[in-house]
PDB file of all heavy atoms in Angstrom:
ATOM      1  N   ILE X 275      30.976-150.774-124.838  1.00 98.00           N
ATOM      2  CA  ILE X 275      30.596-150.142-126.100  1.00 98.00           C
ATOM      3  C   ILE X 275      29.080-149.938-126.104  1.00 98.00           C
ATOM      4  O   ILE X 275      28.318-150.870-125.862  1.00 98.00           O
ATOM      5  CB  ILE X 275      31.041-150.997-127.304  1.00 98.00           C
ATOM      6  CG1 ILE X 275      32.571-151.146-127.298  1.00 98.00           C
ATOM      7  CG2 ILE X 275      30.572-150.369-128.617  1.00 98.00           C
ATOM      8  CD1 ILE X 275      33.126-152.000-128.419  1.00 98.00           C
ATOM      9  N   SER X 276      28.666-148.725-126.362  1.00 98.00           N
ATOM     10  CA  SER X 276      27.245-148.383-126.307  1.00 98.00           C
ATOM     11  C   SER X 276      26.556-148.750-127.619  1.00 98.00           C
ATOM     12  O   SER X 276      26.911-148.239-128.682  1.00 98.00           O
ATOM     13  CB  SER X 276      27.069-146.887-126.036  1.00 98.00           C
ATOM     14  OG  SER X 276      27.586-146.546-124.768  1.00 98.00           O
ATOM     15  N   VAL X 277      25.597-149.655-127.519  1.00 98.00           N
ATOM     16  CA  VAL X 277      24.762-150.050-128.658  1.00 98.00           C
ATOM     17  C   VAL X 277      23.327-150.126-128.151  1.00 98.00           C
ATOM     18  O   VAL X 277      23.055-150.836-127.189  1.00 98.00           O
ATOM     19  CB  VAL X 277      25.172-151.423-129.235  1.00 98.00           C
ATOM     20  CG1 VAL X 277      24.302-151.767-130.442  1.00 98.00           C
ATOM     21  CG2 VAL X 277      26.642-151.450-129.618  1.00 98.00           C
ATOM     22  N   ASP X 278      22.426-149.439-128.792  1.00 98.00           N
ATOM     23  CA  ASP X 278      21.042-149.404-128.310  1.00 98.00           C
ATOM     24  C   ASP X 278      20.092-150.082-129.282  1.00 98.00           C
ATOM     25  O   ASP X 278      19.306-149.443-129.993  1.00 98.00           O
ATOM     26  CB  ASP X 278      20.607-147.959-128.043  1.00 98.00           C
ATOM     27  CG  ASP X 278      21.302-147.371-126.816  1.00 98.00           C
ATOM     28  OD1 ASP X 278      21.998-148.116-126.109  1.00 98.00           O
ATOM     29  OD2 ASP X 278      21.154-146.163-126.572  1.00 98.00           O
ATOM     30  N   GLY X 279      20.205-151.416-129.329  1.00 98.00           N
ATOM     31  CA  GLY X 279      19.258-152.193-130.113  1.00 98.00           C
ATOM     32  C   GLY X 279      19.761-152.595-131.482  1.00 98.00           C
ATOM     33  O   GLY X 279      20.955-152.582-131.765  1.00 98.00           O
ATOM     34  N   THR X 280      18.827-152.985-132.338  1.00 98.00           N
ATOM     35  CA  THR X 280      19.170-153.351-133.709  1.00 98.00           C
ATOM     36  C   THR X 280      19.652-152.116-134.469  1.00 98.00           C
ATOM     37  O   THR X 280      19.524-150.982-133.994  1.00 98.00           O
ATOM     38  CB  THR X 280      17.932-153.915-134.424  1.00 98.00           C
ATOM     39  OG1 THR X 280      16.913-152.909-134.458  1.00 98.00           O
ATOM     40  CG2 THR X 280      17.393-155.159-133.717  1.00 98.00           C
ATOM     41  N   GLU X 281      20.178-152.342-135.651  1.00 98.00           N
ATOM     42  CA  GLU X 281      20.700-151.222-136.441  1.00 98.00           C
ATOM     43  C   GLU X 281      19.636-150.149-136.662  1.00 98.00           C
ATOM     44  O   GLU X 281      19.896-148.945-136.510  1.00 98.00           O
ATOM     45  CB  GLU X 281      21.222-151.730-137.787  1.00 98.00           C
ATOM     46  CG  GLU X 281      21.819-150.646-138.660  1.00 98.00           C
ATOM     47  CD  GLU X 281      22.519-151.180-139.894  1.00 98.00           C
ATOM     48  OE1 GLU X 281      22.514-152.420-140.095  1.00 98.00           O
ATOM     49  OE2 GLU X 281      23.075-150.373-140.662  1.00 98.00           O
ATOM     50  N   GLU X 282      18.441-150.559-136.998  1.00 98.00           N
ATOM     51  CA  GLU X 282      17.364-149.606-137.274  1.00 98.00           C
ATOM     52  C   GLU X 282      17.009-148.785-136.040  1.00 98.00           C
ATOM     53  O   GLU X 282      16.887-147.556-136.109  1.00 98.00           O
ATOM     54  CB  GLU X 282      16.125-150.365-137.770  1.00 98.00           C
ATOM     55  CG  GLU X 282      14.941-149.469-138.082  1.00 98.00           C
ATOM     56  CD  GLU X 282      13.709-150.257-138.465  1.00 98.00           C
ATOM     57  OE1 GLU X 282      13.758-151.505-138.453  1.00 98.00           O
ATOM     58  OE2 GLU X 282      12.673-149.613-138.770  1.00 98.00           O
ATOM     59  N   ILE X 283      16.836-149.452-134.896  1.00 98.00           N
ATOM     60  CA  ILE X 283      16.465-148.749-133.668  1.00 98.00           C
ATOM     61  C   ILE X 283      17.601-147.856-133.192  1.00 98.00           C
ATOM     62  O   ILE X 283      17.392-146.692-132.831  1.00 98.00           O
ATOM     63  CB  ILE X 283      16.064-149.764-132.569  1.00 98.00           C
ATOM     64  CG1 ILE X 283      14.798-150.515-132.987  1.00 98.00           C
ATOM     65  CG2 ILE X 283      15.858-149.058-131.233  1.00 98.00           C
ATOM     66  CD1 ILE X 283      14.443-151.674-132.068  1.00 98.00           C
ATOM     67  N   HIS X 284      18.815-148.396-133.181  1.00 98.00           N
ATOM     68  CA  HIS X 284      19.989-147.641-132.744  1.00 98.00           C
ATOM     69  C   HIS X 284      20.131-146.340-133.532  1.00 98.00           C
ATOM     70  O   HIS X 284      20.304-145.258-132.955  1.00 98.00           O
ATOM     71  CB  HIS X 284      21.234-148.510-132.905  1.00 98.00           C
ATOM     72  CG  HIS X 284      22.511-147.807-132.614  1.00 98.00           C
ATOM     73  ND1 HIS X 284      23.181-147.931-131.421  1.00 98.00           N
ATOM     74  CD2 HIS X 284      23.265-146.957-133.370  1.00 98.00           C
ATOM     75  CE1 HIS X 284      24.274-147.195-131.447  1.00 98.00           C
ATOM     76  NE2 HIS X 284      24.349-146.599-132.617  1.00 98.00           N
ATOM     77  N   ASN X 285      20.063-146.434-134.858  1.00 97.00           N
ATOM     78  CA  ASN X 285      20.298-145.263-135.709  1.00 97.00           C
ATOM     79  C   ASN X 285      19.206-144.201-135.580  1.00 97.00           C
ATOM     80  O   ASN X 285      19.434-143.035-135.910  1.00 97.00           O
ATOM     81  CB  ASN X 285      20.422-145.690-137.173  1.00 97.00           C
ATOM     82  CG  ASN X 285      21.774-146.314-137.474  1.00 97.00           C
ATOM     83  OD1 ASN X 285      22.758-146.063-136.765  1.00 97.00           O
ATOM     84  ND2 ASN X 285      21.836-147.136-138.509  1.00 97.00           N
ATOM     85  N   ARG X 286      18.056-144.602-135.098  1.00 97.00           N
ATOM     86  CA  ARG X 286      16.970-143.644-134.929  1.00 97.00           C
ATOM     87  C   ARG X 286      17.263-142.668-133.796  1.00 97.00           C
ATOM     88  O   ARG X 286      16.825-141.506-133.828  1.00 97.00           O
ATOM     89  CB  ARG X 286      15.664-144.388-134.665  1.00 97.00           C
ATOM     90  CG  ARG X 286      14.408-143.511-134.770  1.00 97.00           C
ATOM     91  CD  ARG X 286      13.157-144.367-134.755  1.00 97.00           C
ATOM     92  NE  ARG X 286      13.101-145.205-135.945  1.00 97.00           N
ATOM     93  CZ  ARG X 286      12.843-146.512-135.932  1.00 97.00           C
ATOM     94  NH1 ARG X 286      12.608-147.137-134.806  1.00 97.00           N
ATOM     95  NH2 ARG X 286      12.810-147.191-137.060  1.00 97.00           N
ATOM     96  N   TYR X 287      18.029-143.111-132.802  1.00 96.00           N
ATOM     97  CA  TYR X 287      18.248-142.292-131.605  1.00 96.00           C
ATOM     98  C   TYR X 287      19.709-141.877-131.388  1.00 96.00           C
ATOM     99  O   TYR X 287      19.963-140.887-130.717  1.00 96.00           O
ATOM    100  CB  TYR X 287      17.768-143.063-130.366  1.00 96.00           C
ATOM    101  CG  TYR X 287      16.296-143.342-130.373  1.00 96.00           C
ATOM    102  CD1 TYR X 287      15.796-144.535-130.880  1.00 96.00           C
ATOM    103  CD2 TYR X 287      15.387-142.421-129.868  1.00 96.00           C
ATOM    104  CE1 TYR X 287      14.434-144.807-130.889  1.00 96.00           C
ATOM    105  CE2 TYR X 287      14.022-142.667-129.868  1.00 96.00           C
ATOM    106  CZ  TYR X 287      13.556-143.873-130.380  1.00 96.00           C
ATOM    107  OH  TYR X 287      12.213-144.132-130.390  1.00 96.00           O
ATOM    108  N   ARG X 288      20.641-142.649-131.931  1.00 97.00           N
ATOM    109  CA  ARG X 288      22.061-142.389-131.685  1.00 97.00           C
ATOM    110  C   ARG X 288      22.721-142.019-133.013  1.00 97.00           C
ATOM    111  O   ARG X 288      23.082-142.893-133.811  1.00 97.00           O
ATOM    112  CB  ARG X 288      22.736-143.612-131.057  1.00 97.00           C
ATOM    113  CG  ARG X 288      22.164-143.952-129.684  1.00 97.00           C
ATOM    114  CD  ARG X 288      22.866-145.160-129.062  1.00 97.00           C
ATOM    115  NE  ARG X 288      24.281-144.938-128.856  1.00 97.00           N
ATOM    116  CZ  ARG X 288      24.808-144.344-127.789  1.00 97.00           C
ATOM    117  NH1 ARG X 288      24.023-143.903-126.833  1.00 97.00           N
ATOM    118  NH2 ARG X 288      26.109-144.190-127.678  1.00 97.00           N
ATOM    119  N   LYS X 289      22.883-140.724-133.221  1.00 96.00           N
ATOM    120  CA  LYS X 289      23.351-140.215-134.511  1.00 96.00           C
ATOM    121  C   LYS X 289      24.551-139.284-134.319  1.00 96.00           C
ATOM    122  O   LYS X 289      24.809-138.793-133.230  1.00 96.00           O
ATOM    123  CB  LYS X 289      22.223-139.434-135.210  1.00 96.00           C
ATOM    124  CG  LYS X 289      20.932-140.208-135.404  1.00 96.00           C
ATOM    125  CD  LYS X 289      19.838-139.358-136.003  1.00 96.00           C
ATOM    126  CE  LYS X 289      19.216-138.427-134.971  1.00 96.00           C
ATOM    127  NZ  LYS X 289      18.352-139.068-134.000  1.00 96.00           N
ATOM    128  N   PHE X 290      25.263-139.051-135.407  1.00 97.00           N
ATOM    129  CA  PHE X 290      26.239-137.972-135.442  1.00 97.00           C
ATOM    130  C   PHE X 290      25.465-136.651-135.505  1.00 97.00           C
ATOM    131  O   PHE X 290      24.297-136.623-135.903  1.00 97.00           O
ATOM    132  CB  PHE X 290      27.152-138.109-136.652  1.00 97.00           C
ATOM    133  CG  PHE X 290      28.132-139.250-136.561  1.00 97.00           C
ATOM    134  CD1 PHE X 290      28.088-140.309-137.463  1.00 97.00           C
ATOM    135  CD2 PHE X 290      29.101-139.265-135.565  1.00 97.00           C
ATOM    136  CE1 PHE X 290      28.993-141.357-137.379  1.00 97.00           C
ATOM    137  CE2 PHE X 290      30.010-140.312-135.467  1.00 97.00           C
ATOM    138  CZ  PHE X 290      29.951-141.359-136.377  1.00 97.00           C
ATOM    139  N   PRO X 291      26.098-135.535-135.129  1.00 96.00           N
ATOM    140  CA  PRO X 291      25.405-134.233-135.190  1.00 96.00           C
ATOM    141  C   PRO X 291      24.838-133.906-136.570  1.00 96.00           C
ATOM    142  O   PRO X 291      23.840-133.199-136.685  1.00 96.00           O
ATOM    143  CB  PRO X 291      26.499-133.236-134.795  1.00 96.00           C
ATOM    144  CG  PRO X 291      27.404-134.025-133.900  1.00 96.00           C
ATOM    145  CD  PRO X 291      27.424-135.409-134.488  1.00 96.00           C
ATOM    146  N   SER X 292      25.439-134.448-137.626  1.00 97.00           N
ATOM    147  CA  SER X 292      24.960-134.226-138.991  1.00 97.00           C
ATOM    148  C   SER X 292      23.679-134.994-139.291  1.00 97.00           C
ATOM    149  O   SER X 292      23.033-134.762-140.311  1.00 97.00           O
ATOM    150  CB  SER X 292      26.034-134.655-139.992  1.00 97.00           C
ATOM    151  OG  SER X 292      26.259-136.062-139.894  1.00 97.00           O
ATOM    152  N   GLY X 293      23.331-135.921-138.389  1.00 96.00           N
ATOM    153  CA  GLY X 293      22.187-136.793-138.628  1.00 96.00           C
ATOM    154  C   GLY X 293      22.585-138.132-139.207  1.00 96.00           C
ATOM    155  O   GLY X 293      21.748-139.037-139.361  1.00 96.00           O
ATOM    156  N   GLU X 294      23.877-138.291-139.538  1.00 97.00           N
ATOM    157  CA  GLU X 294      24.375-139.530-140.129  1.00 97.00           C
ATOM    158  C   GLU X 294      24.281-140.679-139.118  1.00 97.00           C
ATOM    159  O   GLU X 294      24.478-140.503-137.922  1.00 97.00           O
ATOM    160  CB  GLU X 294      25.834-139.333-140.552  1.00 97.00           C
ATOM    161  CG  GLU X 294      26.467-140.553-141.217  1.00 97.00           C
ATOM    162  CD  GLU X 294      27.943-140.343-141.479  1.00 97.00           C
ATOM    163  OE1 GLU X 294      28.440-139.215-141.236  1.00 97.00           O
ATOM    164  OE2 GLU X 294      28.605-141.303-141.903  1.00 97.00           O
ATOM    165  N   ALA X 295      23.991-141.867-139.626  1.00 97.00           N
ATOM    166  CA  ALA X 295      23.869-143.059-138.788  1.00 97.00           C
ATOM    167  C   ALA X 295      25.220-143.466-138.210  1.00 97.00           C
ATOM    168  O   ALA X 295      26.275-143.209-138.802  1.00 97.00           O
ATOM    169  CB  ALA X 295      23.278-144.204-139.599  1.00 97.00           C
ATOM    170  N   THR X 296      25.194-144.121-137.054  1.00 98.00           N
ATOM    171  CA  THR X 296      26.440-144.497-136.366  1.00 98.00           C
ATOM    172  C   THR X 296      26.635-146.002-136.217  1.00 98.00           C
ATOM    173  O   THR X 296      27.727-146.449-135.870  1.00 98.00           O
ATOM    174  CB  THR X 296      26.464-143.880-134.955  1.00 98.00           C
ATOM    175  OG1 THR X 296      25.354-144.391-134.189  1.00 98.00           O
ATOM    176  CG2 THR X 296      26.390-142.361-135.011  1.00 98.00           C
ATOM    177  N   TYR X 297      25.595-146.785-136.466  1.00 98.00           N
ATOM    178  CA  TYR X 297      25.647-148.203-136.110  1.00 98.00           C
ATOM    179  C   TYR X 297      26.791-148.953-136.791  1.00 98.00           C
ATOM    180  O   TYR X 297      27.500-149.735-136.147  1.00 98.00           O
ATOM    181  CB  TYR X 297      24.316-148.880-136.453  1.00 98.00           C
ATOM    182  CG  TYR X 297      24.219-150.316-135.992  1.00 98.00           C
ATOM    183  CD1 TYR X 297      23.693-150.631-134.741  1.00 98.00           C
ATOM    184  CD2 TYR X 297      24.645-151.365-136.805  1.00 98.00           C
ATOM    185  CE1 TYR X 297      23.593-151.942-134.308  1.00 98.00           C
ATOM    186  CE2 TYR X 297      24.545-152.680-136.381  1.00 98.00           C
ATOM    187  CZ  TYR X 297      24.027-152.969-135.146  1.00 98.00           C
ATOM    188  OH  TYR X 297      23.946-154.267-134.725  1.00 98.00           O
ATOM    189  N   LYS X 298      26.975-148.747-138.077  1.00 97.00           N
ATOM    190  CA  LYS X 298      28.000-149.503-138.803  1.00 97.00           C
ATOM    191  C   LYS X 298      29.389-149.243-138.238  1.00 97.00           C
ATOM    192  O   LYS X 298      30.201-150.173-138.114  1.00 97.00           O
ATOM    193  CB  LYS X 298      27.952-149.159-140.301  1.00 97.00           C
ATOM    194  CG  LYS X 298      26.841-149.870-141.051  1.00 97.00           C
ATOM    195  CD  LYS X 298      26.928-149.637-142.553  1.00 97.00           C
ATOM    196  CE  LYS X 298      26.020-150.592-143.327  1.00 97.00           C
ATOM    197  NZ  LYS X 298      24.620-150.529-142.931  1.00 97.00           N
ATOM    198  N   LYS X 299      29.681-147.996-137.879  1.00 97.00           N
ATOM    199  CA  LYS X 299      30.982-147.672-137.272  1.00 97.00           C
ATOM    200  C   LYS X 299      31.168-148.427-135.960  1.00 97.00           C
ATOM    201  O   LYS X 299      32.258-148.918-135.652  1.00 97.00           O
ATOM    202  CB  LYS X 299      31.080-146.164-137.014  1.00 97.00           C
ATOM    203  CG  LYS X 299      31.191-145.315-138.254  1.00 97.00           C
ATOM    204  CD  LYS X 299      32.608-145.178-138.748  1.00 97.00           C
ATOM    205  CE  LYS X 299      33.509-144.414-137.813  1.00 97.00           C
ATOM    206  NZ  LYS X 299      34.884-144.288-138.329  1.00 97.00           N
ATOM    207  N   ILE X 300      30.105-148.525-135.182  1.00 97.00           N
ATOM    208  CA  ILE X 300      30.192-149.183-133.880  1.00 97.00           C
ATOM    209  C   ILE X 300      30.319-150.693-134.049  1.00 97.00           C
ATOM    210  O   ILE X 300      31.102-151.340-133.338  1.00 97.00           O
ATOM    211  CB  ILE X 300      28.966-148.806-133.028  1.00 97.00           C
ATOM    212  CG1 ILE X 300      28.966-147.297-132.777  1.00 97.00           C
ATOM    213  CG2 ILE X 300      28.960-149.566-131.713  1.00 97.00           C
ATOM    214  CD1 ILE X 300      27.661-146.750-132.259  1.00 97.00           C
ATOM    215  N   ALA X 301      29.581-151.255-134.988  1.00 97.00           N
ATOM    216  CA  ALA X 301      29.700-152.691-135.258  1.00 97.00           C
ATOM    217  C   ALA X 301      31.115-153.034-135.716  1.00 97.00           C
ATOM    218  O   ALA X 301      31.670-154.075-135.340  1.00 97.00           O
ATOM    219  CB  ALA X 301      28.676-153.107-136.311  1.00 97.00           C
ATOM    220  N   GLU X 302      31.717-152.152-136.501  1.00 96.00           N
ATOM    221  CA  GLU X 302      33.106-152.363-136.942  1.00 96.00           C
ATOM    222  C   GLU X 302      34.063-152.343-135.752  1.00 96.00           C
ATOM    223  O   GLU X 302      35.035-153.107-135.715  1.00 96.00           O
ATOM    224  CB  GLU X 302      33.503-151.283-137.950  1.00 96.00           C
ATOM    225  CG  GLU X 302      32.828-151.428-139.301  1.00 96.00           C
ATOM    226  CD  GLU X 302      33.047-150.217-140.206  1.00 96.00           C
ATOM    227  OE1 GLU X 302      33.784-149.279-139.775  1.00 96.00           O
ATOM    228  OE2 GLU X 302      32.486-150.192-141.309  1.00 96.00           O
ATOM    229  N   ALA X 303      33.797-151.463-134.770  1.00 96.00           N
ATOM    230  CA  ALA X 303      34.637-151.412-133.576  1.00 96.00           C
ATOM    231  C   ALA X 303      34.560-152.726-132.808  1.00 96.00           C
ATOM    232  O   ALA X 303      35.583-153.232-132.312  1.00 96.00           O
ATOM    233  CB  ALA X 303      34.203-150.251-132.685  1.00 96.00           C
ATOM    234  N   CYS X 304      33.365-153.294-132.701  1.00 97.00           N
ATOM    235  CA  CYS X 304      33.209-154.581-132.015  1.00 97.00           C
ATOM    236  C   CYS X 304      33.964-155.685-132.756  1.00 97.00           C
ATOM    237  O   CYS X 304      34.625-156.528-132.131  1.00 97.00           O
ATOM    238  CB  CYS X 304      31.731-154.940-131.901  1.00 97.00           C
ATOM    239  SG  CYS X 304      30.774-153.852-130.825  1.00 97.00           S
ATOM    240  N   GLU X 305      33.872-155.680-134.071  1.00 96.00           N
ATOM    241  CA  GLU X 305      34.593-156.670-134.870  1.00 96.00           C
ATOM    242  C   GLU X 305      36.098-156.522-134.684  1.00 96.00           C
ATOM    243  O   GLU X 305      36.840-157.507-134.614  1.00 96.00           O
ATOM    244  CB  GLU X 305      34.216-156.521-136.341  1.00 96.00           C
ATOM    245  CG  GLU X 305      32.779-156.915-136.642  1.00 96.00           C
ATOM    246  CD  GLU X 305      32.340-156.524-138.041  1.00 96.00           C
ATOM    247  OE1 GLU X 305      33.195-155.968-138.787  1.00 96.00           O
ATOM    248  OE2 GLU X 305      31.163-156.746-138.383  1.00 96.00           O
TER     249      GLU X 305
END
């Protein structure tokens, strides 16, 4: 599962095309 740092850092670079943050969705997948 691709995670690039803390929530703040991850969301700055890894986004949906709309610009929406992705971290919470990925953290839920890990859980």
Side-chain angles (χ1 to χ4, degrees):
I275 299 178
S276 296
V277 182
D278 289 353
T280 61
E281 182 171 2
E282 180 184 2
I283 295 171
H284 174 100
N285 283 337
R286 192 169 295 132
Y287 296 93
R288 297 181 61 85
K289 304 176 283 287
F290 289 117
S292 65
E294 181 186 355
T296 61
Y297 186 91
K298 281 187 167 57
K299 290 275 294 180
I300 297 165
E302 289 170 3
C304 293
E305 292 169 2

